[in-house]
Amino acid sequence: MLRESEARDRAAFIELFASPEVGTYTGGPRPRDELERAVPEVPGRRPGLFVIDLDGAMIGMITLDRRDAERPGHVRPDAGEAELGYLFLPEAWGCGYAAEACAAALDWFADALPSEPVVLCTQTANDRAMRLAAKLGFTEVERFEEYGAEQWFGVWSSVTPSG
C-alpha cells in the first residue's frame, strides 16, 4: 500500500539511508548518528514521496520528483521531467513489492498528469534495477557516465503501451 509518511516511519527511513546494501548504487550509506540528528520527526512528508507499507510497517519509499536540468539525461527540451526513484529495505528485496509499488505510483502519476513522461536513471551494474525498469515498461533513451559509473536512462509514457 502507498501512503503518506508518518512519525512511526522515522526508524525505517534511517535504516534505509544507513544500510550498506541499499547504498551500494546510491552513493553509499550515510552515518547512522548523522541521520539520527538530521531526520525530522515525520520524515519525507512532501508531495511526490510515498511510503510503501506492508502490514502496518514501512518497507520502502517511492519518489516522483522533477529531474534536475543540470544533470545529463532528458527527454524534453526544457528538461524537468518527472523522475521515478525508489528505495526498499533489504528484507523486502526479491518479493515483487518494488514492481507492484512502482506500477501503482506510475498509474497514479498517469491519472494525475496524463501524457507526461516519467524517466528513470540507474547504474547499469544494478541488475535488479535494470530488470525492474524493463518490467515496468521503461525504454532506454541513452547511457552516460555519472558518479563514476555507467548510467542507464529510460523513459516511461502512459500514452504508449508498456509491457
Side-chain angles (χ1 to χ4, degrees):
M1 172 177 86
L2 300 181
R3 63 170 171 79
E4 194 173 45
S5 67
E6 300 172 359
R8 66 185 166 120
D9 301 322
R10 188 174 186 276
F13 268 92
I14 291 169
E15 187 58 35
L16 266 179
F17 292 111
S19 166
E21 295 89 355
V22 174
T24 300
Y25 300 105
T26 60
R30 294 194 30 211
R32 188 174 296 277
D33 59 338
E34 174 189 304
L35 290 165
E36 289 286 355
R37 288 190 304 273
V39 173
E41 183 181 333
V42 181
R45 180 66 67 95
R46 63 177 178 76
L49 188 144
F50 302 92
V51 162
I52 297 95
D53 184 298
L54 179 66
D55 300 328
M58 177 180 163
I59 60 167
M61 61 179 263
I62 291 179
T63 57
L64 282 160
D65 292 317
R66 294 290 167 193
R67 185 163 176 84
D68 186 347
E70 304 304 310
R71 293 186 63 204
H74 293 284
V75 294
R76 303 170 102 179
D78 58 347
E81 305 89 344
E83 181 172 22
L84 177 69
Y86 55 87
L87 295 174
F88 282 80
L89 293 168
E91 55 267 27
W93 293 0
C95 301
Y97 299 132
E100 185 180 337
C102 288
L106 288 167
D107 287 346
W108 170 85
F109 187 86
D111 286 344
L113 295 166
S115 77
E116 276 277 316
V118 178
V119 298
L120 181 142
C121 189
T122 188
Q123 287 186 24
T124 55
N126 188 342
D127 294 334
R128 288 177 181 267
M130 295 288 291
R131 285 194 304 272
L132 180 58
K135 186 175 190 171
L136 291 170
F138 282 84
T139 56
E140 183 173 336
V141 174
E142 65 178 309
R143 294 181 185 210
F144 50 83
E145 189 85 10
E146 189 180 33
Y147 306 119
E150 184 182 50
Q151 305 292 322
W152 182 93
F153 180 77
V155 65
W156 178 90
S157 175
S158 62
V159 292
T160 55
S162 62

Short mmCIF file of all heavy atoms in Angstrom, two decimals, residues 72-126:
data_model
loop_
_atom_site.label_atom_id
_atom_site.label_comp_id
_atom_site.label_asym_id
_atom_site.label_seq_id
_atom_site.Cartn_x
_atom_site.Cartn_y
_atom_site.Cartn_z
N PRO A 72 22.77 15.09 -16.71
CA PRO A 72 22.59 14.52 -18.05
C PRO A 72 21.32 13.68 -18.09
O PRO A 72 20.84 13.23 -17.05
CB PRO A 72 23.84 13.66 -18.25
CG PRO A 72 24.38 13.41 -16.90
CD PRO A 72 23.93 14.54 -16.02
N GLY A 73 20.79 13.46 -19.27
CA GLY A 73 19.63 12.60 -19.43
C GLY A 73 18.32 13.36 -19.35
O GLY A 73 17.86 13.68 -18.26
N HIS A 74 17.75 13.64 -20.51
CA HIS A 74 16.45 14.31 -20.58
C HIS A 74 15.73 13.86 -21.84
O HIS A 74 16.36 13.50 -22.83
CB HIS A 74 16.61 15.84 -20.59
CG HIS A 74 17.13 16.36 -19.30
ND1 HIS A 74 16.35 16.48 -18.17
CD2 HIS A 74 18.38 16.74 -18.93
CE1 HIS A 74 17.09 16.92 -17.17
NE2 HIS A 74 18.33 17.08 -17.60
N VAL A 75 14.39 13.93 -21.80
CA VAL A 75 13.58 13.59 -22.97
C VAL A 75 12.77 14.78 -23.46
O VAL A 75 12.07 14.68 -24.44
CB VAL A 75 12.64 12.38 -22.70
CG1 VAL A 75 13.46 11.12 -22.48
CG2 VAL A 75 11.70 12.65 -21.54
N ARG A 76 12.88 15.90 -22.75
CA ARG A 76 12.19 17.12 -23.16
C ARG A 76 13.21 18.24 -23.31
O ARG A 76 14.15 18.32 -22.53
CB ARG A 76 11.18 17.54 -22.09
CG ARG A 76 10.16 16.48 -21.78
CD ARG A 76 9.39 16.88 -20.56
NE ARG A 76 8.10 17.38 -21.02
CZ ARG A 76 7.17 17.80 -20.20
NH1 ARG A 76 7.37 17.83 -18.91
NH2 ARG A 76 6.03 18.22 -20.66
N PRO A 77 13.00 19.12 -24.28
CA PRO A 77 13.96 20.21 -24.49
C PRO A 77 14.09 21.13 -23.28
O PRO A 77 15.17 21.66 -23.02
CB PRO A 77 13.41 20.95 -25.70
CG PRO A 77 12.08 20.39 -26.00
CD PRO A 77 11.90 19.12 -25.23
N ASP A 78 13.02 21.30 -22.51
CA ASP A 78 13.07 22.18 -21.34
C ASP A 78 13.43 21.43 -20.05
O ASP A 78 13.42 22.01 -18.96
CB ASP A 78 11.74 22.92 -21.17
CG ASP A 78 10.54 21.97 -21.04
OD1 ASP A 78 10.70 20.75 -21.31
OD2 ASP A 78 9.46 22.45 -20.66
N ALA A 79 13.73 20.10 -20.16
CA ALA A 79 14.07 19.25 -19.02
C ALA A 79 12.91 19.22 -18.02
O ALA A 79 11.76 19.40 -18.39
CB ALA A 79 15.36 19.71 -18.37
N GLY A 80 13.19 18.97 -16.74
CA GLY A 80 12.17 18.98 -15.71
C GLY A 80 11.21 17.81 -15.73
O GLY A 80 10.11 17.89 -15.19
N GLU A 81 11.60 16.69 -16.35
CA GLU A 81 10.73 15.52 -16.39
C GLU A 81 10.54 14.97 -14.98
O GLU A 81 11.37 15.14 -14.11
CB GLU A 81 11.35 14.40 -17.24
CG GLU A 81 11.71 14.79 -18.64
CD GLU A 81 13.12 15.33 -18.78
OE1 GLU A 81 13.76 15.69 -17.77
OE2 GLU A 81 13.59 15.41 -19.92
N ALA A 82 9.45 14.25 -14.79
CA ALA A 82 9.24 13.53 -13.53
C ALA A 82 10.18 12.33 -13.54
O ALA A 82 10.28 11.62 -14.55
CB ALA A 82 7.80 13.08 -13.40
N GLU A 83 10.87 12.12 -12.41
CA GLU A 83 11.80 11.00 -12.31
C GLU A 83 11.37 10.08 -11.19
O GLU A 83 11.13 10.51 -10.07
CB GLU A 83 13.22 11.51 -12.05
CG GLU A 83 14.25 10.41 -11.96
CD GLU A 83 15.68 10.92 -11.90
OE1 GLU A 83 15.89 12.09 -11.52
OE2 GLU A 83 16.58 10.15 -12.24
N LEU A 84 11.26 8.79 -11.51
CA LEU A 84 10.90 7.78 -10.53
C LEU A 84 12.14 7.36 -9.76
O LEU A 84 13.17 7.04 -10.36
CB LEU A 84 10.29 6.57 -11.24
CG LEU A 84 9.92 5.38 -10.34
CD1 LEU A 84 8.75 5.74 -9.43
CD2 LEU A 84 9.59 4.16 -11.19
N GLY A 85 12.03 7.36 -8.45
CA GLY A 85 13.10 6.84 -7.58
C GLY A 85 12.48 5.94 -6.54
O GLY A 85 11.29 6.09 -6.20
N TYR A 86 13.24 5.01 -6.03
CA TYR A 86 12.72 4.11 -5.00
C TYR A 86 13.86 3.53 -4.18
O TYR A 86 14.98 3.37 -4.68
CB TYR A 86 11.87 2.98 -5.62
CG TYR A 86 12.61 2.20 -6.68
CD1 TYR A 86 13.40 1.11 -6.34
CD2 TYR A 86 12.56 2.59 -8.01
CE1 TYR A 86 14.11 0.43 -7.30
CE2 TYR A 86 13.26 1.90 -8.98
CZ TYR A 86 14.03 0.82 -8.62
OH TYR A 86 14.75 0.14 -9.57
N LEU A 87 13.57 3.23 -2.94
CA LEU A 87 14.49 2.55 -2.04
C LEU A 87 13.66 1.58 -1.21
O LEU A 87 12.59 1.94 -0.71
CB LEU A 87 15.19 3.53 -1.09
CG LEU A 87 16.13 4.56 -1.68
CD1 LEU A 87 16.61 5.52 -0.59
CD2 LEU A 87 17.32 3.89 -2.35
N PHE A 88 14.17 0.35 -1.05
CA PHE A 88 13.50 -0.65 -0.24
C PHE A 88 14.48 -1.23 0.76
O PHE A 88 15.67 -1.38 0.46
CB PHE A 88 12.95 -1.79 -1.11
CG PHE A 88 11.67 -1.43 -1.82
CD1 PHE A 88 11.70 -0.67 -2.97
CD2 PHE A 88 10.46 -1.83 -1.32
CE1 PHE A 88 10.53 -0.31 -3.62
CE2 PHE A 88 9.28 -1.48 -1.95
CZ PHE A 88 9.31 -0.72 -3.10
N LEU A 89 13.99 -1.58 1.93
CA LEU A 89 14.81 -2.26 2.92
C LEU A 89 15.21 -3.63 2.35
O LEU A 89 14.39 -4.27 1.67
CB LEU A 89 14.05 -2.43 4.23
CG LEU A 89 13.75 -1.12 4.97
CD1 LEU A 89 12.75 -1.36 6.10
CD2 LEU A 89 15.04 -0.51 5.51
N PRO A 90 16.44 -4.08 2.60
CA PRO A 90 16.91 -5.34 2.01
C PRO A 90 15.99 -6.54 2.27
O PRO A 90 15.85 -7.41 1.41
CB PRO A 90 18.28 -5.55 2.66
CG PRO A 90 18.75 -4.16 2.95
CD PRO A 90 17.50 -3.40 3.34
N GLU A 91 15.35 -6.58 3.44
CA GLU A 91 14.48 -7.73 3.72
C GLU A 91 13.25 -7.78 2.81
O GLU A 91 12.57 -8.80 2.72
CB GLU A 91 14.06 -7.78 5.19
CG GLU A 91 13.39 -6.53 5.70
CD GLU A 91 14.35 -5.52 6.36
OE1 GLU A 91 15.55 -5.49 6.01
OE2 GLU A 91 13.87 -4.76 7.22
N ALA A 92 12.96 -6.69 2.09
CA ALA A 92 11.82 -6.65 1.17
C ALA A 92 12.24 -6.93 -0.27
O ALA A 92 11.39 -6.99 -1.16
CB ALA A 92 11.13 -5.28 1.26
N TRP A 93 13.54 -7.12 -0.51
CA TRP A 93 14.03 -7.35 -1.86
C TRP A 93 13.60 -8.74 -2.36
O TRP A 93 13.55 -9.70 -1.59
CB TRP A 93 15.55 -7.25 -1.91
CG TRP A 93 16.09 -5.89 -1.65
CD1 TRP A 93 15.41 -4.74 -1.37
CD2 TRP A 93 17.47 -5.52 -1.61
NE1 TRP A 93 16.27 -3.69 -1.18
CE2 TRP A 93 17.54 -4.14 -1.31
CE3 TRP A 93 18.65 -6.22 -1.80
CZ2 TRP A 93 18.75 -3.45 -1.21
CZ3 TRP A 93 19.86 -5.54 -1.69
CH2 TRP A 93 19.90 -4.17 -1.40
N GLY A 94 13.33 -8.83 -3.65
CA GLY A 94 13.06 -10.11 -4.28
C GLY A 94 11.66 -10.65 -4.06
O GLY A 94 11.38 -11.80 -4.42
N CYS A 95 10.77 -9.85 -3.50
CA CYS A 95 9.40 -10.30 -3.21
C CYS A 95 8.36 -9.73 -4.17
O CYS A 95 7.18 -10.02 -4.03
CB CYS A 95 9.02 -9.91 -1.78
SG CYS A 95 10.10 -10.60 -0.52
N GLY A 96 8.78 -8.87 -5.10
CA GLY A 96 7.85 -8.27 -6.04
C GLY A 96 7.23 -6.97 -5.55
O GLY A 96 6.43 -6.36 -6.26
N TYR A 97 7.59 -6.53 -4.35
CA TYR A 97 6.99 -5.31 -3.80
C TYR A 97 7.37 -4.07 -4.61
O TYR A 97 6.55 -3.18 -4.80
CB TYR A 97 7.40 -5.10 -2.33
CG TYR A 97 6.98 -6.21 -1.41
CD1 TYR A 97 7.88 -6.78 -0.52
CD2 TYR A 97 5.66 -6.69 -1.41
CE1 TYR A 97 7.49 -7.79 0.34
CE2 TYR A 97 5.28 -7.71 -0.56
CZ TYR A 97 6.20 -8.26 0.32
OH TYR A 97 5.81 -9.26 1.16
N ALA A 98 8.61 -4.01 -5.08
CA ALA A 98 9.05 -2.83 -5.84
C ALA A 98 8.26 -2.72 -7.14
O ALA A 98 7.80 -1.63 -7.50
CB ALA A 98 10.55 -2.90 -6.12
N ALA A 99 8.08 -3.83 -7.84
CA ALA A 99 7.33 -3.80 -9.10
C ALA A 99 5.89 -3.36 -8.85
O ALA A 99 5.36 -2.51 -9.56
CB ALA A 99 7.37 -5.17 -9.78
N GLU A 100 5.28 -3.93 -7.83
CA GLU A 100 3.88 -3.61 -7.52
C GLU A 100 3.74 -2.14 -7.10
O GLU A 100 2.85 -1.43 -7.58
CB GLU A 100 3.40 -4.53 -6.40
CG GLU A 100 1.94 -4.38 -6.05
CD GLU A 100 1.51 -5.32 -4.93
OE1 GLU A 100 2.16 -6.36 -4.71
OE2 GLU A 100 0.51 -5.00 -4.27
N ALA A 101 4.61 -1.68 -6.21
CA ALA A 101 4.51 -0.31 -5.70
C ALA A 101 4.85 0.72 -6.78
O ALA A 101 4.16 1.75 -6.91
CB ALA A 101 5.42 -0.13 -4.49
N CYS A 102 5.89 0.46 -7.57
CA CYS A 102 6.26 1.40 -8.64
C CYS A 102 5.17 1.46 -9.71
O CYS A 102 4.85 2.55 -10.21
CB CYS A 102 7.61 1.02 -9.27
SG CYS A 102 9.02 1.35 -8.20
N ALA A 103 4.57 0.32 -10.05
CA ALA A 103 3.48 0.31 -11.02
C ALA A 103 2.30 1.13 -10.50
O ALA A 103 1.69 1.90 -11.25
CB ALA A 103 3.05 -1.13 -11.33
N ALA A 104 1.99 1.00 -9.21
CA ALA A 104 0.89 1.78 -8.62
C ALA A 104 1.20 3.28 -8.66
O ALA A 104 0.33 4.10 -8.98
CB ALA A 104 0.63 1.33 -7.19
N ALA A 105 2.46 3.64 -8.36
CA ALA A 105 2.85 5.06 -8.39
C ALA A 105 2.78 5.60 -9.82
O ALA A 105 2.33 6.73 -10.04
CB ALA A 105 4.25 5.24 -7.81
N LEU A 106 3.21 4.80 -10.80
CA LEU A 106 3.14 5.23 -12.20
C LEU A 106 1.69 5.39 -12.65
O LEU A 106 1.37 6.33 -13.37
CB LEU A 106 3.89 4.24 -13.10
CG LEU A 106 5.42 4.27 -12.97
CD1 LEU A 106 6.04 3.06 -13.66
CD2 LEU A 106 6.00 5.57 -13.51
N ASP A 107 0.82 4.48 -12.23
CA ASP A 107 -0.61 4.60 -12.56
C ASP A 107 -1.19 5.88 -11.96
O ASP A 107 -1.94 6.60 -12.61
CB ASP A 107 -1.40 3.38 -12.06
CG ASP A 107 -1.14 2.14 -12.89
OD1 ASP A 107 -0.58 2.25 -14.01
OD2 ASP A 107 -1.51 1.04 -12.42
N TRP A 108 -0.84 6.15 -10.70
CA TRP A 108 -1.30 7.37 -10.03
C TRP A 108 -0.83 8.59 -10.82
O TRP A 108 -1.60 9.52 -11.08
CB TRP A 108 -0.77 7.42 -8.60
CG TRP A 108 -1.00 8.75 -7.95
CD1 TRP A 108 -2.13 9.16 -7.31
CD2 TRP A 108 -0.08 9.86 -7.90
NE1 TRP A 108 -1.97 10.46 -6.85
CE2 TRP A 108 -0.73 10.91 -7.21
CE3 TRP A 108 1.21 10.06 -8.38
CZ2 TRP A 108 -0.12 12.14 -6.99
CZ3 TRP A 108 1.81 11.28 -8.15
CH2 TRP A 108 1.15 12.30 -7.46
N PHE A 109 0.44 8.59 -11.22
CA PHE A 109 1.02 9.71 -11.95
C PHE A 109 0.31 9.89 -13.29
O PHE A 109 0.00 11.01 -13.70
CB PHE A 109 2.52 9.51 -12.14
CG PHE A 109 3.20 10.70 -12.75
CD1 PHE A 109 3.64 11.74 -11.96
CD2 PHE A 109 3.38 10.79 -14.12
CE1 PHE A 109 4.25 12.86 -12.52
CE2 PHE A 109 4.00 11.90 -14.69
CZ PHE A 109 4.43 12.94 -13.89
N ALA A 110 0.07 8.79 -14.00
CA ALA A 110 -0.58 8.85 -15.32
C ALA A 110 -2.00 9.42 -15.20
O ALA A 110 -2.45 10.14 -16.09
CB ALA A 110 -0.61 7.47 -15.96
N ASP A 111 -2.68 9.10 -14.11
CA ASP A 111 -4.02 9.67 -13.88
C ASP A 111 -3.93 11.16 -13.57
O ASP A 111 -4.75 11.95 -14.02
CB ASP A 111 -4.73 8.96 -12.73
CG ASP A 111 -5.21 7.57 -13.12
OD1 ASP A 111 -5.28 7.26 -14.33
OD2 ASP A 111 -5.53 6.78 -12.20
N ALA A 112 -2.93 11.53 -12.76
CA ALA A 112 -2.79 12.93 -12.34
C ALA A 112 -2.27 13.82 -13.47
O ALA A 112 -2.72 14.96 -13.62
CB ALA A 112 -1.85 13.02 -11.14
N LEU A 113 -1.33 13.32 -14.25
CA LEU A 113 -0.71 14.10 -15.33
C LEU A 113 -0.64 13.25 -16.61
O LEU A 113 0.43 12.78 -16.99
CB LEU A 113 0.69 14.56 -14.92
CG LEU A 113 0.75 15.54 -13.75
CD1 LEU A 113 2.16 15.65 -13.21
CD2 LEU A 113 0.24 16.90 -14.19
N PRO A 114 -1.78 13.05 -17.25
CA PRO A 114 -1.80 12.20 -18.45
C PRO A 114 -0.83 12.73 -19.51
O PRO A 114 -0.67 13.92 -19.67
CB PRO A 114 -3.24 12.29 -18.95
CG PRO A 114 -4.02 12.99 -17.91
CD PRO A 114 -3.07 13.65 -16.96
N SER A 115 -0.20 11.81 -20.20
CA SER A 115 0.74 12.06 -21.30
C SER A 115 2.07 12.66 -20.87
O SER A 115 2.91 12.96 -21.70
CB SER A 115 0.11 12.90 -22.42
OG SER A 115 0.05 14.26 -22.06
N GLU A 116 2.29 12.86 -19.57
CA GLU A 116 3.60 13.32 -19.07
C GLU A 116 4.55 12.14 -19.02
O GLU A 116 4.21 11.09 -18.46
CB GLU A 116 3.46 13.87 -17.65
CG GLU A 116 3.01 15.29 -17.56
CD GLU A 116 4.16 16.27 -17.74
OE1 GLU A 116 5.25 16.09 -17.17
OE2 GLU A 116 3.96 17.22 -18.49
N PRO A 117 5.75 12.25 -19.57
CA PRO A 117 6.71 11.15 -19.46
C PRO A 117 7.31 11.06 -18.05
O PRO A 117 7.35 12.05 -17.32
CB PRO A 117 7.80 11.53 -20.47
CG PRO A 117 7.75 13.03 -20.52
CD PRO A 117 6.30 13.39 -20.30
N VAL A 118 7.72 9.88 -17.69
CA VAL A 118 8.44 9.64 -16.44
C VAL A 118 9.77 9.02 -16.82
O VAL A 118 9.81 8.11 -17.65
CB VAL A 118 7.66 8.69 -15.50
CG1 VAL A 118 8.45 8.43 -14.21
CG2 VAL A 118 6.29 9.26 -15.17
N VAL A 119 10.85 9.50 -16.22
CA VAL A 119 12.17 8.96 -16.52
C VAL A 119 12.71 8.21 -15.31
O VAL A 119 12.25 8.39 -14.18
CB VAL A 119 13.16 10.07 -16.97
CG1 VAL A 119 12.69 10.72 -18.26
CG2 VAL A 119 13.39 11.11 -15.89
N LEU A 120 13.69 7.37 -15.58
CA LEU A 120 14.34 6.58 -14.53
C LEU A 120 15.82 6.47 -14.91
O LEU A 120 16.14 6.26 -16.08
CB LEU A 120 13.70 5.20 -14.46
CG LEU A 120 14.24 4.24 -13.40
CD1 LEU A 120 13.07 3.44 -12.82
CD2 LEU A 120 15.28 3.32 -13.96
N CYS A 121 16.67 6.62 -13.92
CA CYS A 121 18.11 6.52 -14.15
C CYS A 121 18.68 5.57 -13.10
O CYS A 121 18.37 5.70 -11.92
CB CYS A 121 18.75 7.91 -14.04
SG CYS A 121 20.47 7.94 -14.56
N THR A 122 19.48 4.62 -13.55
CA THR A 122 20.12 3.68 -12.62
C THR A 122 21.47 3.27 -13.18
O THR A 122 21.71 3.35 -14.38
CB THR A 122 19.24 2.44 -12.37
OG1 THR A 122 19.82 1.65 -11.33
CG2 THR A 122 19.08 1.60 -13.62
N GLN A 123 22.34 2.81 -12.31
CA GLN A 123 23.62 2.28 -12.76
C GLN A 123 23.38 0.98 -13.54
O GLN A 123 22.58 0.14 -13.11
CB GLN A 123 24.54 1.99 -11.58
CG GLN A 123 25.11 3.22 -10.93
CD GLN A 123 26.13 2.86 -9.85
OE1 GLN A 123 26.73 1.79 -9.86
NE2 GLN A 123 26.31 3.77 -8.91
N THR A 124 24.07 0.82 -14.65
CA THR A 124 23.92 -0.41 -15.43
C THR A 124 24.37 -1.62 -14.61
O THR A 124 23.90 -2.73 -14.86
CB THR A 124 24.73 -0.35 -16.74
OG1 THR A 124 26.09 -0.05 -16.45
CG2 THR A 124 24.16 0.69 -17.69
N ALA A 125 25.23 -1.42 -13.62
CA ALA A 125 25.69 -2.52 -12.76
C ALA A 125 24.59 -3.01 -11.81
O ALA A 125 24.71 -4.09 -11.24
CB ALA A 125 26.90 -2.07 -11.95
N ASN A 126 23.53 -2.24 -11.64
CA ASN A 126 22.45 -2.61 -10.73
C ASN A 126 21.46 -3.51 -11.47
O ASN A 126 20.46 -3.06 -12.01
CB ASN A 126 21.78 -1.36 -10.17
CG ASN A 126 20.79 -1.67 -9.07
OD1 ASN A 126 20.34 -2.79 -8.91
ND2 ASN A 126 20.44 -0.64 -8.32
#
